């Protein structure tokens, strides 16, 4: 898979998407990187720590979030994306489900559209991505956590996202799938979809796992959002072992080290006999 100018070997390696929220109200780091200089400094830190992609978000999508206008979201993300493309040789993702924001971000240099509604919110999104020949990450989501058969319905929902992408002309090699931990699911469903994330390989596309600091970790360990690093690391390693090609995280350095260690263990080794 090629994202921007970079090639990603999604069969043999797990890559890190570093989270860069330029919002005042994100659940974990809201307000910390609203200022352009602060955002760039954090991006520089994440790149140095081993991020492979930077994911820029201008609207919080935490539970109970307040939707902002397309114009406000665009004003938040476009200057940051432009600067990132000037300063760093790394693919940049725009975290949005709105086609007008995505279009402005792509024109500013974004390489990937990370859509939390998997192309199902905005009818223009799929054709826009196809027009720009951009990569997309399609996340599973529902308005309510109501299912007849959770895993079967989940897989059907994901196939629906893929169908929309294909009908719009998005190429297979431009599609990543995200199980949507924390979206349209209750606590038990979130744990279940993490446990069964390997089943998504049946769909034939690279998988991105996004669990960083999320409520499923907080509820399991009874910890606030700023103390969920170890729980996130456990999900990163589990995702690696179950075929995930990408992880989307806040704490890049720790996750990079966990991935490097696990990949070293999983490699075949030649052990000399005496």
């Amino acid at each position: 898979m090629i994202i921007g100018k970079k090639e990603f070997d999604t069969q043999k390696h797990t890559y890190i998407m570093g989270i860069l929220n330029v919002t005042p109200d994100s659940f974990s780091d809201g307000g910390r990187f609203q200022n352009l200089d602060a955002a760039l400094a954090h991006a520089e830190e994440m790149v140095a720590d081993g991020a492979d992609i930077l994911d820029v978000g201008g609207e919080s999508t935490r539970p109970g979030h307040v939707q902002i206008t397309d114009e406000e979201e665009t004003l938040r993300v476009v200057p940051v994306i432009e600067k990132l493309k000037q300063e760093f040789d790394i693919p940049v993702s725009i975290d949005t489900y709105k086609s007008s924001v995505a279009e402005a971000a792509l024109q500013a240099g974004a390489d990937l559209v990370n859509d939390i509604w998997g192309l199902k919110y905005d009818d223009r999104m799929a054709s826009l991505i196809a027009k720009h020949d951009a990569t997309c990450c399609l996340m599973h989501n529902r308005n309510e956590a109501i299912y007849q058969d959770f895993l079967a319905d989940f897989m059907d929902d994901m196939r629906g996202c893929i169908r929309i992408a294909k009908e719009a002309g998005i190429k297979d090699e431009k599609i990543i799938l995200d199980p949507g931990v924390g979206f349209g699911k209750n606590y038990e469903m979130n744990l279940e979809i993490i446990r069964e994330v390997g089943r998504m390989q049946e769909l034939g596309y690279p998988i991105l796992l996004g669990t960083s600091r999320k409520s499923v970790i907080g509820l399991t360990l009874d910890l606030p959002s700023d103390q969920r690093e170890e729980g996130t690391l456990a999900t990163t390693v589990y995702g690696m072992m179950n075929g995930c090609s990408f992880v989307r995280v806040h704490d890049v350095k720790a996750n990079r080290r966990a991935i490097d260690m696990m990949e070293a263990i999983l490699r075949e080794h030649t052990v000399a006999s005496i």
Side-chain angles (χ1 to χ4, degrees), residues 130-180:
K131 182 181 78 171
H132 284 268
D133 198 27
T135 306
C136 59
C137 182
L138 311 181
M139 197 188 84
H140 178 268
N141 207 340
R142 279 195 177 194
N143 287 315
E144 296 183 275
I146 299 173
Y147 302 82
Q148 294 296 316
D149 180 326
F150 173 60
L151 287 176
D153 292 352
F154 166 85
M155 292 293 280
D156 284 345
D157 288 350
M158 289 270 71
R159 291 186 187 97
C161 294
I162 295 166
R163 192 178 309 115
I164 294 169
K166 299 276 284 179
E167 289 175 354
I170 298 174
K171 300 171 185 173
D172 281 336
E173 62 269 25
K174 295 289 186 177
I175 298 172
I176 301 167
L177 303 179
D178 179 343

Side-chain angles (χ1 to χ4, degrees), residues 210-274:
T211 61
S212 186
R213 303 182 185 174
K214 287 188 175 177
S215 62
V216 65
I217 297 172
L219 291 169
T220 300
L221 303 178
D222 191 24
L223 291 172
S225 61
D226 61 351
Q227 294 181 38
R228 299 174 186 172
E229 184 175 342
E230 298 91 345
T232 301
L233 291 172
T235 64
T236 289
V237 171
Y238 185 84
M240 282 185 63
M241 296 181 70
N242 285 273
C244 294
S245 302
F246 301 90
V247 291
R248 181 180 179 273
V249 300
H250 298 84
D251 305 294
V252 171
K253 183 184 288 185
N255 283 273
R256 173 83 279 150
R257 290 174 175 174
I259 289 169
D260 289 347
M261 188 68 226
M262 182 55 66
E263 288 187 342
I265 293 168
L266 294 176
R267 281 197 297 270
E268 291 187 11
H269 302 279
T270 301
V271 180
S273 300
I274 297 175

Side-chain angles (χ1 to χ4, degrees), residues 4-230:
K5 298 177 181 178
K6 299 290 184 180
E7 186 171 353
F8 292 79
D9 186 348
T10 58
Q11 297 294 317
K12 296 181 179 179
H13 188 56
T14 300
Y15 297 92
I16 291 180
M17 176 183 280
I19 299 169
L20 184 58
N21 287 322
V22 289
T23 60
D25 55 348
S26 290
F27 80 96
S28 178
D29 54 6
R32 290 185 60 195
F33 310 116
Q34 272 186 280
N35 176 276
L36 181 58
D37 289 339
L40 290 174
H42 186 51
E44 184 175 17
E45 179 184 21
M46 288 195 289
V47 171
D49 287 344
D52 301 291
I53 303 170
L54 296 175
D55 188 43
V56 180
E59 177 183 88
S60 171
T61 52
R62 76 192 194 286
H65 76 280
V66 176
Q67 190 177 60
I68 62 174
T69 65
D70 294 21
E71 292 76 16
E72 184 176 356
E73 187 176 348
T74 299
L75 287 172
R76 289 178 182 179
V77 300
V78 164
V80 175
I81 291 169
E82 289 175 341
K83 275 291 189 181
L84 291 176
K85 296 302 292 185
Q86 291 171 13
E87 299 291 331
F88 307 106
D89 183 24
I90 185 172
V92 174
S93 165
I94 175 63
D95 180 3
T96 189
Y97 52 92
K98 304 169 187 173
S99 62
S100 65
V101 178
E103 184 162 25
L106 290 167
Q107 290 173 352
D111 307 289
L112 186 156
V113 177
N114 185 13
D115 183 351
I116 66 164
W117 281 103
L119 308 177
K120 294 180 179 179
Y121 176 87
D122 187 328
D123 292 341
R124 292 186 59 243
M125 185 67 95
S127 59
L128 172 72
I129 293 168
K131 182 181 78 171
H132 284 268
D133 198 27
T135 306
C136 59
C137 182
L138 311 181
M139 197 188 84
H140 178 268
N141 207 340
R142 279 195 177 194
N143 287 315
E144 296 183 275
I146 299 173
Y147 302 82
Q148 294 296 316
D149 180 326
F150 173 60
L151 287 176
D153 292 352
F154 166 85
M155 292 293 280
D156 284 345
D157 288 350
M158 289 270 71
R159 291 186 187 97
C161 294
I162 295 166
R163 192 178 309 115
I164 294 169
K166 299 276 284 179
E167 289 175 354
I170 298 174
K171 300 171 185 173
D172 281 336
E173 62 269 25
K174 295 289 186 177
I175 298 172
I176 301 167
L177 303 179
D178 179 343
V181 175
F183 292 81
K185 302 168 188 67
N186 61 30
Y187 171 70
E188 290 78 11
M189 291 170 182
N190 284 316
L191 286 174
E192 180 72 358
I193 204 57
I194 295 170
R195 187 171 74 91
E196 296 291 339
V197 68
R199 284 190 57 177
M200 293 180 68
Q201 293 183 81
E202 298 171 18
L203 300 170
Y205 297 91
I207 304 164
L208 179 147
L209 183 63
T211 61
S212 186
R213 303 182 185 174
K214 287 188 175 177
S215 62
V216 65
I217 297 172
L219 291 169
T220 300
L221 303 178
D222 191 24
L223 291 172
S225 61
D226 61 351
Q227 294 181 38
R228 299 174 186 172
E229 184 175 342
E230 298 91 345

